[in-house]
Amino acid sequence: MTDQELLERAGEAKENAYAPYSKFQVGAALLTAGGDVFTGCNVENSSYGAAICAERAAVVQAVSSGCREFEAIAIASNGEDTVYPCGICRQVLHEFNPEIRIICQSPEGFETYLLSELMPKGF
Ligand code: THU
């Protein structure tokens, strides 16, 4: 599974986003150590604070299926700018792999980071 392929899976997942309030549709594709891919999309709510990000939706899918070893996560959106994971999602990813690779859709294609770069000295 290449980074490009994982990003394409995130792009597909984005199509299921429920984002009637922000109109910002996000999809995530999480690659496990075993080579499985779990996807997620953002799911918003009329009580805005109850929104769930795509990245956390993918993590919950994976953990619920018994997978906890994650190698990479790709994030795609319907926006024009590079999409980076929010602080809460960084923290949730840190729980499982502080060095997970993060592939962010960008205007040029994608940018890759380690979580430790985006969230140094995590808890
Ligand atoms: N969102 C994500 O799903 N992932 C991100 O990385 C950034 C933000 C969602 C949350 C909310 O539904 C919408 O995008 C606007 O913030």
Side-chain angles (χ1 to χ4, degrees):
M1 171 76 50
T2 65
D3 289 355
Q4 179 64 42
E5 288 169 337
L6 196 63
L7 189 61
E8 284 169 12
R9 292 292 301 274
E12 291 166 12
K14 174 198 72 190
E15 298 304 316
N16 291 328
Y18 177 72
Y21 304 103
S22 73
K23 314 283 188 205
F24 189 57
Q25 296 177 287
V26 186
L30 185 63
L31 178 66
T32 72
D36 291 318
V37 175
F38 292 90
T39 60
C41 62
N42 55 331
V43 181
E44 297 185 347
N45 192 273
S46 58
S47 177
Y48 297 168
I52 299 166
C53 291
E55 296 92 321
R56 275 177 288 144
V59 168
V60 169
Q61 282 270 41
V63 174
S64 299
S65 300
C67 296
R68 297 176 187 168
E69 288 184 45
F70 307 140
E71 291 193 346
I73 187 167
I75 309 161
S77 83
N78 65 350
E80 292 180 0
D81 298 333
T82 305
V83 56
Y84 300 105
C86 79
I88 296 174
C89 289
R90 293 179 197 198
Q91 180 65 37
V92 169
L93 291 168
H94 185 277
E95 179 78 14
F96 296 99
N97 182 359
E99 298 293 336
I100 189 171
R101 283 192 319 112
I102 302 180
I103 300 145
C104 304
Q105 176 192 290
S106 74
E108 295 76 30
F110 58 85
E111 302 169 3
T112 62
Y113 301 92
L114 294 176
L115 178 57
S116 57
E117 294 178 88
L118 297 184
M119 195 180 77
K121 302 186 182 184
F123 175 69

